[in-house]
C-alpha cells in the first residue's frame, strides 16, 4: 500500500479521506471477510476482465479483482480521449507483482489474443480478408487484420514486383489467407493470388468481347526499352515503342509513366496465345498518306537533323515523316568520313527529295543536289591538254592522286610518269604533299575520272631521239644493272637500259649470266636492235668479242645522254580559273585546226602546239619526227632496280617476271572514289603490265 502511495505521489490525508469514504461504518471483521471473498486465485498469461478505477497521467489504473490493481498505458486504447473511470475491458495478466507491488497487465496483448481467436473462428485458409500494412519487416509487410498482425510476403504483394513495397503502408489491401498456423499463432496472406484469380475471370470475359479496332482504356503497369505494358482489365497488352507516335520516340518514358490512364486502339489480337497489340498513333491519320503529293520527287524542302548514323543523317520533314540523307549524298566533292563532319543534331538543312518508298515509309534525300555539281564543269574548265599544278594527295601502287581543286582528284598512273624509266612505284617520281605540274589527258564526266600525265609534258624520246643516237652496229659502254636467268640488263644512260640476252654474252655456251658479268661491271656492248614500237634495245657482247676497246666504232657513245624536249604550251593552268572554249582565239587563216583536246592540238588554251610542218604526235612506239637540237633532261631520280624486260624479238629465253612494286614512301589503299579514277588500259605493253598490277591490287 505504501509503495502504491509513493508511486502515485498521493498525500496521506487524501488517502485517508478516500479510505473512510469507501469503508464508512464497516467493522474490521466485515472488511476482512469482504477481502477474503474478493481475492481470487489468478494464473499468469490469462485474460481477465477489469474495470477502470482511475487515470493518472498516461497510466490507466485497472482493477481485476486481485489484492492490488494494475496499470496499462493510455496509448493502448484506440481512442485515449474516450477512456473514463468505470469502463470495463479485458487485459492479460503477465506478472503477479512488479517492484512497485502492482500486478503487470497488458491490454494490447489481450486484444491480439481475442482478435486471433475471433479471426480463426470466423475465417479459414482461402478466405478473403481486409487489412492495412503497419510496417515493413524482413521479407515483406506486417498487416493489421482485425487487430491481428499477419504476414504478407513481398512476392505476394502484387502480380508484378514493385520498386518499394513500403509504398503500400497505410493503404487498405484485400488479400487471401493462404496459411494459418494455430500453434505459432501465425497467418500468411497473399494479395497476388487474389489478383490473379480476379484477372483470370476478367481476362476470359475480355477475350470474348474484344476485337481489332476497338478503343479501350487501360493503365500503364510496366515500361521497358521496347514499349509499355497496359492493363486493359484482366489482361495486359503491349504498346510497342514504334506504335506510340508517328514521330521519333527514343524511349517509352518520354510519353508514358507507370499508372498513367490512357486510351489505346487494338491493332492486333491472338486469343490462343493471349497476346494483344496496342497502338496510340493509330488513333490519328498517318502523315504518310498522300506523301508523294506533299513531297514530290525533285522538290526542295527544309528539315531538322534528328539523328546521325555512320551511314548518313535522318532529317525530320514534319512530325512522323523523316528522310535519310546518305553520306554519299552530302557533297559532290568533299571526302566525308562521318556525317557529323557536315551536320549536327538540331541543324536545319535544305534537301532535295530523291526517292519515296511508300510501302516501307522511306524517303531518300540529298544535300549535294541543292548545289551545282562541279563535275559538270570539270570538262569545260580542264579540257584535255590543259597543264595544271596540283598537290600530291595520296600514293598507291599504281599511281598518284593529285588534287586538281578541292574535292576533285586526278590519277597520274605510273605508266604516264616517264617515257624511258620503268616506274615500279610512284614514290620514285613524286612525293606526297609536293606540288607537281601535269597535263590533263582525259576527262570522264559520267564516271567522275580525270587522267593526268607527267611524261606527256615532253615529247617521246623513242620517236626520234633514241633511235637517232643508238643505231644498229654501234658499240657503246654500259654498266650491268641487273641479272636475270635469261640475261643481263645494261644501263646505257640514266633511265635507259638494254637487254643483253644470255645467248649474246659469249661465243661459248653460257649457262648463267653470272659466269660472264656481274652487277656494277662496266662493259662494252654492240647495239643489235632498236625497237621503238616496243621500247626495247637489244645488246650483244658476243659479236665484239676479242676486239680491243680502242677499236670500237662508237665508244664515245657512252657519253650520250637522253634528252627530252618539252612540249610547247600556250598556257599553264592553275586549278582556278580555266579558260573556256569561247575564250580561245581563232586560228589564223590557212592553219589546220586539230580536234579539241587531241595531243598536238592547235592554239587551244593549255594544249601543246607544234610547227605547221610537224606531223601530229603519234602513239607510243611509232616513229616520229626528229627532235629539235635543244632539249631539257627528264627530272627523275635513278631507280633502285629495273623490272625484267620481255625478251627481244628473235632471241630465245623467257620474259622476265614483273617485280613487286615498291617505294620509299608508305602506300595507302585507294579509296572507292580513287579506284573510280583509274584510266582504261592502253595498247602499250608498259601500260598493260602496270594496269594488271592495279587490277591485282584492287582484287
Amino acid at each position: 500500500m505504501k509503495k502504491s502511495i509513493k508511486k502515485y505521489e498521493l498525500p496521506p490525508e487524501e488517502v485517508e479521506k478516500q479510505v473512510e469514504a469507501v469503508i464508512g461504518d464497516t467493522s474490521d471483521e466485515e472488511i476482512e471477510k469482504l477481502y477474503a471473498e474478493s481475492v481470487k486465485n489468478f494464473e499468469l498469461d490469462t485474460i481477465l476482465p477489469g474495470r477502470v478505477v482511475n487515470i493518472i497521467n498516461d497510466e490507466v489504473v485497472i482493477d481485476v479483482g486481485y489484492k492490488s490493481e494494475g496499470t496499462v498505458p493510455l496509448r493502448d486504447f484506440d481512442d485515449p480521449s474516450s477512456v473514463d473511470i468505470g469502463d470495463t475491458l479485458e487485459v492479460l495478466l503477465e506478472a503477479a507483482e512488479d517492484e512497485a507491488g502492482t500486478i503487470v497487465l497488458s491490454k494490447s496483448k489481450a486484444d491480439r489474443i481475442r482478435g486471433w481467436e475471433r479471426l480463426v473462428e470466423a475465417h479459414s485458409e482461402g478466405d478473403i480478408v481486409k487489412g492495412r500494412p503497419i510496417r515493413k519487416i524482413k521479407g515483406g509487410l506486417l498487416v493489421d487484420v482485425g487487430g491481428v498482425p499477419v504476414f504478407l510476403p513481398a512476392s505476394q504483394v502484387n502480380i508484378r514486383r514493385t520498386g518499394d513495397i513500403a509504398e503500400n503502408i497505410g493503404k487498405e489491401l484485400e488479400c487471401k489467407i493462404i496459411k494459418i498456423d494455430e500453434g505459432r499463432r501465425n497467418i500468411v496472406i497473399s494479395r497476388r493470388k487474389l489478383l490473379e484469380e480476379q484477372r483470370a475471370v476478367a481476362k476470359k470475359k475480355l477475350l470474348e468481347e474484344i476485337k481489332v479496332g476497338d478503343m479501350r482504356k487501360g493503365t500503364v503497369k510496366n515500361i521497358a526499352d521496347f514499349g509499355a505494358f497496359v492493363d486493359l482489365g484482366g489482361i495486359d497488352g503491349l504498346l510497342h515503342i514504334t506504335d506510340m507516335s508517328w514521330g521519333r520516340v527514343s524511349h517509352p518514358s518520354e510519353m508514358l509513366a507507370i499508372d498513367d490512364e490512357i486510351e489505346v486502339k487494338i491493332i492486333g489480337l491472338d486469343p490462343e496465345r493471349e497476346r494483344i497489340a496496342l497502338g496510340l498513333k493509330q488513333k490519328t491519320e498517318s502523315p504518310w498518306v498522300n506523301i508523294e503529293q506533299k513531297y514530290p520527287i525533285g522538290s526542295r524542302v527544309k528539315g531538322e537533323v534528328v539523328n546521325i548514323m555512320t551511314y548518313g543523317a535522318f532529317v525530320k520533314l514534319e512530325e512522323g515523316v523523316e528522310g535519310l540523307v546518305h553520306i554519299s549524298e552530302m557533297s559532290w566533292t568533299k571526302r566525308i568520313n562521318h556525317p557529323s563532319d557536315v551536320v549536327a543534331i538540331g541543324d536545319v538543312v535544305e534537301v532535295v527529295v530523291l526517292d519515296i518508298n511508300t510501302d516501307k515509309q522511306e524517303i531518300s534525300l540529298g544535300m549535294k543536289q541543292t548545289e551545282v555539281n562541279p563535275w559538270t564543269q570539270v570538262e569545260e574548265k580542264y579540257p584535255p591538254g590543259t597543264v595544271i599544278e596540283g598537290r600530291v594527295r595520296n600514293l598507291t601502287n599504281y599511281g598518284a592522286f593529285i588534287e586538281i581543286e578541292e574535292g576533285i582528284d586526278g590519277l597520274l598512273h605510273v605508266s604516264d610518269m616517264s617515257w624511258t624509266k620503268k616506274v615500279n612505284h610512284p614514290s620514285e617520281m613524286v612525293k606526297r604533299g609536293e606540288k607537281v605540274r601535269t597535263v590533263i589527258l582525259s576527262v570522264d564526266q559520267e564516271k567522275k575520272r580525270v587522267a593526268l600525265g607527267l611524261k606527256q609534258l615532253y615529247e617521246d624520246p623513242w620517236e626520234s631521239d633514241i633511235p637517232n643516237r643508238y643505231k644498229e652496229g654501234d658499240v657503246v659502254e654500259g654498266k650491268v644493272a641487273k641479272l636475270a636467268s635469261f640475261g643481263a640488263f645494261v644501263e646505257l644512260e640514266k633511265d635507259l637500259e638494254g637487254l643483253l640476252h644470255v645467248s649474246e654474252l659469249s661465243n661459248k655456251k653460257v649457262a648463267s649470266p653470272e659466269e660472264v658479268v656481274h652487277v656494277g661491271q662496266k662493259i662494252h656492248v654492240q647495239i643489235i636492235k632498236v625497237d621503238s614500237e616496243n621500247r626495247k634495245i637489244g645488246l650483244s657482247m658476243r659479236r665484239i668479242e676479242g676486239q680491243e676497246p680502242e677499236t670500237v666504232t662508237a665508244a664515245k657513245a657512252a657519253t650520250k645522254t637522253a634528252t627530252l624536249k618539252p612540249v610547247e604550251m600556250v598556257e599553264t593552268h592553275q586549278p582556278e580559273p580555266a579558260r573556256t572554249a569561247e575564250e580561245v582565239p581563232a586560228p589564223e587563216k590557212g592553219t589546220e585546226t586539230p580536234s579539241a583536246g587531241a595531243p598536238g592540238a592547235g592554239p587551244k588554251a593549255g594544249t601543246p602546239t607544234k610547227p605547221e610542218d610537224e606531223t601530229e604526235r603519234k602513239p607510243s612506239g611509232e616513229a616520229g619526227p626528229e627532235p629539235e637540237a635543244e632539249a631539257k633532261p627528264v627530272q627523275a631520280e635513278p631507280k633502285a632496280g629495273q623490272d625484267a624486260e620481255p625478251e627481244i624479238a628473235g632471241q630465245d629465253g623467257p620474259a622476265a617476271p614483273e617485280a613487286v612494286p615498291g617505294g620509299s614512301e608508305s602506300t595507302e589503299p585507294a579509296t572507292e572514289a580513287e579506284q573510280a579514277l583509274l584510266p582504261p588500259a592502253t595498247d602499250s605493253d608498259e601500260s598493260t603490265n602496270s594496269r594488271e598490277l592495279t587490277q591485282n591490287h584492287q582484287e
Side-chain angles (χ1 to χ4, degrees):
M1 184 68 176
K2 292 180 179 179
K3 292 181 179 179
S4 298
I5 294 172
K6 183 178 180 181
K7 177 179 179 181
Y8 297 111
E9 299 178 354
L10 296 175
E13 296 80 8
E14 180 67 24
V15 174
E16 190 69 27
K17 183 178 179 181
Q18 291 186 13
V19 170
E20 289 180 359
V22 173
I23 295 176
D25 298 332
T26 307
S27 64
D28 292 341
E29 291 78 8
E30 291 176 345
I31 293 173
E32 193 171 330
K33 181 180 179 181
L34 292 172
Y35 175 76
E37 292 176 355
S38 64
V39 175
K40 303 174 183 177
N41 293 325
F42 294 98
E43 293 183 4
L44 299 181
D45 297 326
T46 59
I47 297 177
L48 304 174
R51 181 173 60 87
V52 177
V53 295
N54 202 358
I55 301 174
I56 303 174
N57 296 329
D58 293 332
E59 298 285 334
V60 179
V61 182
I62 307 294
D63 178 18
V64 294
Y66 195 59
K67 60 182 179 180
S68 62
E69 292 85 10
T71 61
V72 296
L74 191 61
R75 64 176 179 273
D76 286 354
F77 293 84
D78 294 335
D79 185 6
S81 62
S82 64
V83 179
D84 199 2
I85 296 174
D87 290 347
T88 59
L89 72 164
E90 287 185 323
V91 292
L92 178 70
L93 178 61
E94 293 187 288
E97 287 185 355
D98 61 5
E99 296 178 355
T102 60
I103 59 176
V104 180
L105 305 175
S106 174
K107 179 181 181 298
S108 60
K109 291 182 180 180
D111 290 343
R112 285 198 294 270
I113 292 172
R114 292 302 186 205
W116 165 265
E117 293 173 351
R118 288 193 297 270
L119 185 63
V120 172
E121 184 180 351
H123 299 285
S124 59
E125 292 182 1
D127 288 353
I128 298 172
V129 294
K130 292 182 180 181
R132 293 180 184 274
I134 53 179
R135 68 176 182 270
K136 182 179 178 181
I137 61 175
K138 184 178 180 180
L141 295 173
L142 197 62
V143 182
D144 182 5
V145 178
V148 180
V150 299
F151 180 57
L152 174 59
S155 61
Q156 301 298 316
V157 173
N158 208 334
I159 294 176
R160 298 181 184 85
R161 198 176 186 95
T162 57
D164 187 4
I165 59 175
E167 296 175 353
N168 295 282
I169 293 177
K171 298 179 181 178
E172 186 177 65
L173 304 180
E174 192 175 35
C175 305
K176 188 172 186 178
I177 299 175
I178 58 176
K179 184 179 180 181
I180 297 177
D181 187 347
E182 294 188 20
R184 301 176 63 183
R185 289 184 178 178
N186 185 21
I187 297 178
V188 180
I189 60 176
S190 171
R191 180 169 177 260
R192 175 178 178 176
K193 192 172 185 66
L194 179 62
L195 292 176
E196 287 176 343
E197 292 175 355
Q198 293 173 347
R199 284 175 62 85
V201 176
K203 179 193 297 184
K204 182 178 179 181
K205 181 180 179 182
L206 182 65
L207 290 174
E208 292 173 353
E209 299 174 350
I210 201 169
K211 61 182 181 296
V212 175
D214 285 355
M215 303 295 292
R216 290 275 177 168
K217 289 185 178 181
T219 305
V220 179
K221 289 299 181 183
N222 194 20
I223 293 178
D225 292 338
F226 54 84
F229 291 94
V230 181
D231 184 2
L232 301 176
I235 188 171
D236 288 352
L238 174 61
L239 175 58
H240 199 270
I241 187 172
T242 57
D243 293 313
M244 291 183 177
S245 173
W246 293 110
R248 177 179 293 272
V249 180
S250 300
H251 194 271
S253 58
E254 296 176 6
M255 297 191 63
L256 302 172
I258 293 178
D259 292 332
D260 280 357
E261 298 287 338
I262 59 174
E263 186 180 47
V264 291
K265 187 175 184 178
I266 309 299
I267 60 175
L269 181 62
D270 187 349
E272 294 181 0
R273 301 172 67 186
E274 297 183 350
R275 292 187 178 180
I276 301 176
L278 309 176
L280 267 178
K281 70 180 185 181
Q282 287 78 4
K283 294 168 63 178
T284 59
E285 186 181 47
S286 170
W288 286 85
V289 175
N290 301 322
I291 193 72
E292 293 178 334
Q293 284 72 35
K294 290 192 288 185
Y295 303 102
I297 294 177
S299 61
R300 288 194 179 195
V301 293
K302 288 186 177 181
E304 178 186 357
V305 178
V306 293
N307 195 22
I308 295 177
M309 306 297 289
T310 55
Y311 52 83
F314 288 93
V315 178
K316 183 176 74 173
L317 305 182
E318 64 176 76
E319 191 65 31
V321 178
E322 294 179 5
L324 172 64
V325 180
H326 195 268
I327 190 171
S328 62
E329 302 295 342
M330 290 186 170
S331 176
W332 291 110
T333 56
K334 290 182 181 178
R335 290 174 286 275
I336 301 173
N337 297 320
H338 193 274
S340 59
D341 297 340
V342 181
V343 295
I345 293 178
D347 287 354
V348 176
V349 295
E350 186 177 27
V351 293
V352 173
V353 179
L354 304 180
D355 188 31
I356 296 178
N357 188 328
T358 54
D359 295 334
K360 295 183 178 180
Q361 295 188 351
E362 295 175 352
I363 298 181
S364 297
L365 305 174
M367 290 175 59
K368 68 183 183 181
Q369 287 77 7
T370 61
E371 304 172 351
V372 177
N373 183 0
W375 278 98
T376 60
Q377 302 173 344
V378 169
E379 190 170 13
E380 179 182 349
K381 292 169 63 177
Y382 305 105
T386 304
V387 176
I388 59 100
E389 185 178 86
R391 180 180 61 87
V392 179
R393 192 183 57 80
N394 191 21
L395 298 180
T396 65
N397 289 334
Y398 49 82
F401 288 94
I402 297 176
E403 187 176 52
I404 301 174
E405 60 180 62
E406 184 180 4
I408 297 180
D409 291 349
L411 174 62
L412 175 59
H413 198 271
V414 289
S415 62
D416 292 314
M417 290 185 174
S418 175
W419 290 113
T420 57
K421 179 179 179 179
K422 190 170 182 99
V423 181
N424 293 321
H425 193 272
S427 60
E428 300 173 14
M429 302 293 292
V430 295
K431 306 298 179 185
R432 184 182 299 141
E434 73 174 346
K435 288 189 175 182
V436 296
R437 293 176 70 251
T438 56
V439 62
I440 303 291
L441 302 182
S442 65
V443 177
D444 190 332
Q445 180 177 319
E446 182 179 352
K447 296 182 179 180
K448 296 182 175 60
R449 295 176 178 175
V450 177
L452 304 176
L454 183 62
K455 69 182 183 181
Q456 286 80 1
L457 292 171
Y458 307 94
E459 291 186 351
D460 186 358
W462 282 95
E463 292 184 357
S464 59
D465 180 58
I466 292 176
N468 288 339
R469 293 189 296 109
Y470 293 93
K471 300 184 180 298
E472 293 184 13
D474 285 355
V475 177
V476 296
E477 185 182 52
K479 183 172 67 174
V480 178
K482 187 170 62 176
L483 298 179
S485 60
F486 51 83
F489 289 95
V490 180
E491 184 180 42
L492 303 178
E493 59 184 61
K494 183 180 179 180
D495 296 337
L496 182 63
E497 293 179 354
L499 175 62
L500 177 58
H501 197 267
V502 66
S503 61
E504 295 293 337
L505 282 170
S506 175
N507 289 318
K508 300 177 182 180
K509 185 175 182 181
V510 178
S512 174
E514 289 86 348
E515 298 177 6
V516 181
V517 295
H518 59 83
V519 175
Q521 179 182 352
K522 289 187 176 182
I523 58 174
H524 289 88
V525 290
Q526 185 181 44
I527 307 295
I528 61 174
K529 186 176 183 64
V530 178
D531 188 347
S532 297
E533 182 176 355
N534 293 314
R535 301 172 186 273
K536 301 174 183 177
I537 296 179
L539 307 175
S540 175
M541 285 179 62
R542 177 180 62 83
R543 303 190 187 189
I544 59 171
E545 192 173 1
Q547 297 184 27
E548 294 295 330
E550 301 84 32
T551 62
V552 298
T553 59
K556 62 180 181 179
T559 62
K560 295 181 179 180
T561 302
T563 57
L564 295 179
K565 179 183 178 183
V567 177
E568 295 182 9
M569 300 293 172
V570 174
E571 181 179 351
T572 300
H573 278 250
Q574 297 295 329
E576 290 288 343
R579 295 181 62 186
T580 61
E582 290 77 3
E583 296 174 327
V584 178
E588 297 181 3
K589 184 176 181 181
T591 303
E592 183 180 1
T593 304
S595 60
K604 185 172 182 176
T607 58
T609 59
K610 290 188 178 183
E612 294 181 5
D613 58 346
E614 182 174 303
T615 59
E616 182 180 356
R617 183 164 64 86
K618 298 182 180 180
S620 172
E622 296 184 12
E626 293 291 331
E628 295 185 8
E630 295 182 0
K632 184 180 286 187
V634 177
Q635 302 298 320
E637 296 293 332
K639 56 192 170 184
Q642 181 70 32
D643 283 348
E645 294 280 350
E647 60 177 322
I648 298 297
Q651 294 181 339
D652 297 330
E658 290 284 353
V660 177
S664 59
E665 291 198 17
S666 61
T667 302
E668 296 182 1
T671 63
E672 183 179 351
E674 291 171 345
Q675 291 182 9
L677 297 175
L678 295 180
T682 62
D683 294 335
S684 67
D685 292 341
E686 185 176 14
S687 299
T688 302
N689 293 336
S690 299
R691 289 181 171 87
E692 285 176 356
L693 287 175
T694 300
Q695 183 179 2
N696 294 335
H697 172 73
Q698 291 177 317
E699 292 176 353

